[in-house]
Amino acid sequence: MKLLPDLAMAAVAVSAALVAFSTPASAQPADPAALPSEQPAGPDAAVIAAHEQALRKTIGDLKANKPDYDSMVPQLADIVRTNLDPIVGKLSELGALRTLTYAGTQQQALKFRATFANGETTWFIVIDPAGKIAGLVFR
């Protein structure tokens, strides 16, 4: 997959929203032996489905150059407004969305692989307790 410079810049800018949801390093145990031996369970199917639905809508809205800013926290909406032209341009180049597949979690973001007519992208999405998109990154 080729790296798209404008898209990478947008992803870096938008990733700032994800950082706010990560656990501070000072809150994590420094000793690996102090970490729990079992990994916490991933999100349930309903959570994955809700994130996928929000992401499908967001991708469609962005491709149509009509983002739903009301579905985003204000900070993310501002970042999307600032980067809208390169985002829309790159999504237009990718063509029609064919598949969107859940690919795990990273920090508190759900990760999806999107296959388009002309390429693939990886998306990360965070939805806050109020139902607003609080983090959105694609590369």
Side-chain angles (χ1 to χ4, degrees), residues 62-114:
L62 289 169
K63 284 180 66 71
N65 199 10
K66 295 180 181 180
D68 179 4
Y69 295 116
D70 291 335
S71 71
M72 303 172 194
V73 297
Q75 301 90 333
L76 180 60
D78 290 343
I79 293 168
V80 171
R81 276 186 195 94
T82 301
N83 294 285
L84 187 58
D85 288 341
I87 292 169
V88 170
K90 296 307 175 187
L91 289 175
S92 294
E93 290 174 13
L94 288 168
L97 177 64
R98 292 194 174 157
T99 62
L100 190 60
T101 308
Y102 173 70
T105 59
Q106 191 167 356
Q107 296 176 0
Q108 291 183 5
L110 273 67
K111 178 180 176 181
F112 290 87
R113 287 197 179 90

Side-chain angles (χ1 to χ4, degrees), residues 5-20:
D6 291 336
L7 191 56
M9 279 181 42
V12 169
V14 177
S15 67
L18 287 177
V19 173

